[in-house]
Amino acid sequence: MDFLVLFLFYLALVLMGVVTICICSKTHYLRGLVRGGAQVISCIIPECLQRAMRKVLHYLFHTRNHTFIMLHLLLQGMVYAEYTWEVFGYCQELGFSLHYLLLPYLLLVINLVFFTLSCVSNPGTITKANEFSLLQVYEFDEVMFPKNTKCFTCNVRKPARSKHCRVCNRCVHRFDHHCVWVNNCIGAWNARYFLIYLLTLTASAATMAVVSTVFLVQLVVVSDLYLETYVDDLGHLQVIDIVFLIQYLFLTLPRIVFTLGFVVMLSFLLGGYLCFTLYLAATNQTTNEWYRGDRAWCHHCPHVARPPSAEPQVYRNIHSHGLWSNLGEIFLPAAAHCAEKMN
């Protein structure tokens, strides 16, 4: 009972934390909470340790490195090793369909292909050679993306929907976000690879969770475990319930049950993020635009000079042209191919 309660509590805590961050990320509450937490921690942790932590965090999240790529491949390899070593063999003994068992491997191959493409492909780097053509792709809304703005770091004019990535030190066309897991920016030219990578990663986690769950249920049914009884702490004979059954399976097959818990949690997290990404694709928004979209842009905006009497302007998405057109822009970026030829 203790294990199950702790695991469910941990799972609920992680999911609630992710949801809270998503809700608060567009407000000032999260920044205030982070600042307050940092001040409390600074009073407890020695200065030398704080400097070391800042250096590590700066290296991990503010410089291009392969740490998260290696972590990604390590976790993926460990999960598939456990699936191959135990679940696959046991399922074959129970007469599972081979096509059903091989589906996670098919998804793995597709996932690794698009993971590699997301890592190495050009996200849409803006250069002097393609600057003019990219300026014609999207309309300037004069709110979030005003005309005639220039990136002084890259020394190029900024097309609408572009952004300078401080990690990669380049301006990216239709900038979405910088992803540490692929060590690359996600932009106009590799968003399709990233979306398929995320889709296959979610599908592979969900498939392995389903296969493992069906195996455990089949094992319980075949062995008639659900008909067994046990003696409780008071010496009374009790019929096995679901809580006791899960604990028994964890003690008997700990690696399989632990892996199942991990992929179930991963399926929820990845599934939520995939739904969010699909929503952005369907409405022709980027993560950068979504994050900044609800803010009022007024005469205090440093990029636009407005008279003191000017009323605040709120950003509105002017780039959505229907579901199929929006998805076509992700998967068939015609402007990207033209710009690549000019590059």
Side-chain angles (χ1 to χ4, degrees):
M1 181 67 177
D2 294 338
F3 160 75
L4 185 60
V5 170
L6 286 174
F7 176 76
L8 292 176
F9 175 75
Y10 174 73
L11 179 61
L13 194 64
V14 170
L15 294 175
M16 287 174 61
V18 171
V19 171
T20 302
I21 290 174
C22 291
I23 294 174
C24 297
S25 62
K26 298 183 76 173
T27 68
H28 296 289
Y29 296 114
L30 185 62
R31 293 184 179 182
L33 188 64
V34 170
R35 290 196 195 99
Q39 290 176 355
V40 171
I41 292 174
S42 64
C43 299
I44 302 173
I45 301 177
E47 183 65 28
C48 59
L49 189 56
Q50 290 183 46
R51 286 197 298 268
M53 288 175 60
R54 283 194 292 266
K55 287 181 180 178
V56 171
L57 291 174
H58 178 78
Y59 172 76
L60 290 176
F61 297 103
H62 297 284
T63 61
R64 295 196 72 181
N65 62 84
H66 295 87
T67 305
F68 284 95
I69 289 181
M70 292 186 291
L71 179 61
H72 177 288
L73 294 174
L74 176 63
L75 289 173
Q76 202 168 31
M78 290 173 64
V79 169
Y80 270 89
E82 173 58 28
Y83 175 81
T84 304
W85 185 259
E86 291 196 282
V87 177
F88 189 88
Y90 288 145
C91 286
Q92 279 189 309
E93 292 178 9
L94 291 174
F96 280 57
S97 170
L98 189 60
H99 297 89
Y100 182 60
L101 296 177
L102 291 177
L103 182 58
Y105 296 108
L106 175 63
L107 291 169
L108 174 65
V109 172
I110 300 172
N111 177 256
L112 289 177
V113 169
F114 285 98
F115 174 70
T116 304
L117 289 172
S118 299
C119 291
V120 303
S121 60
N122 184 349
T125 304
I126 302 170
T127 63
K128 282 290 185 182
N130 61 22
E131 173 188 354
F132 179 77
S133 63
L134 294 180
L135 282 167
Q136 316 303 317
V137 175
Y138 292 113
E139 179 184 353
F140 291 91
D141 58 17
E142 298 298 341
V143 180
M144 186 182 293
F145 302 107
K147 280 184 181 179
N148 302 321
T149 56
K150 186 175 182 179
C151 177
F152 293 100
T153 304
C154 301
N155 194 29
V156 294
R157 287 179 295 169
K158 296 181 68 174
R161 312 187 78 182
S162 66
K163 187 178 184 296
H164 182 85
C165 177
R166 289 179 292 180
V167 179
C168 297
N169 194 31
R170 60 184 172 184
C171 283
V172 177
H173 178 50
R174 198 183 183 276
F175 177 86
D176 191 273
H177 70 287
H178 180 89
C179 180
V180 295
W181 293 104
V182 300
N183 193 30
N184 198 5
C185 288
I186 306 303
W189 300 351
N190 66 349
R192 48 187 169 168
Y193 304 141
F194 181 78
L195 186 58
I196 299 175
Y197 153 71
L198 183 60
L199 178 63
T200 52
L201 186 63
T202 306
S204 62
T207 303
M208 293 179 72
V210 170
V211 172
S212 300
T213 302
V214 172
F215 158 68
L216 292 175
V217 171
Q218 187 78 359
L219 181 65
V220 169
V221 172
V222 169
S223 58
D224 293 330
L225 278 174
Y226 63 99
L227 299 176
E228 299 292 335
T229 58
Y230 70 98
V231 179
D232 62 15
D233 296 336
L234 300 176
H236 300 145
L237 200 64
Q238 301 285 348
V239 178
I240 286 183
D241 56 13
I242 186 66
V243 175
F244 187 90
L245 194 59
I246 292 174
Q247 290 186 103
Y248 175 81
L249 289 173
F250 180 76
L251 294 174
T252 308
L253 303 166
R255 288 194 298 270
I256 294 178
V257 176
F258 181 81
T259 304
L260 174 60
F262 177 74
V263 294
V264 166
M265 183 176 66
L266 198 62
S267 299
F268 278 111
L269 295 176
L270 289 172
Y273 183 54
L274 175 63
C275 291
F276 171 69
T277 305
L278 290 172
Y279 161 74
L280 293 181
T283 56
N284 206 336
Q285 297 182 79
T286 65
T287 303
N288 176 54
E289 293 162 3
W290 173 84
Y291 177 75
R292 300 163 61 191
D294 286 344
R295 300 181 182 181
W297 290 67
C298 59
H299 60 276
H300 296 296
C301 177
H303 302 294
V304 184
R306 301 184 186 277
S309 60
E311 293 185 2
Q313 295 190 13
V314 178
Y315 168 76
R316 289 181 176 83
N317 182 14
I318 63 172
H319 304 293
S320 180
H321 302 291
L323 176 62
W324 298 114
S325 177
N326 295 339
L327 293 178
E329 190 174 310
I330 296 290
F331 291 100
L332 298 170
H337 299 305
C338 295
E340 281 179 319
K341 289 177 183 178
M342 292 182 62
N343 213 349

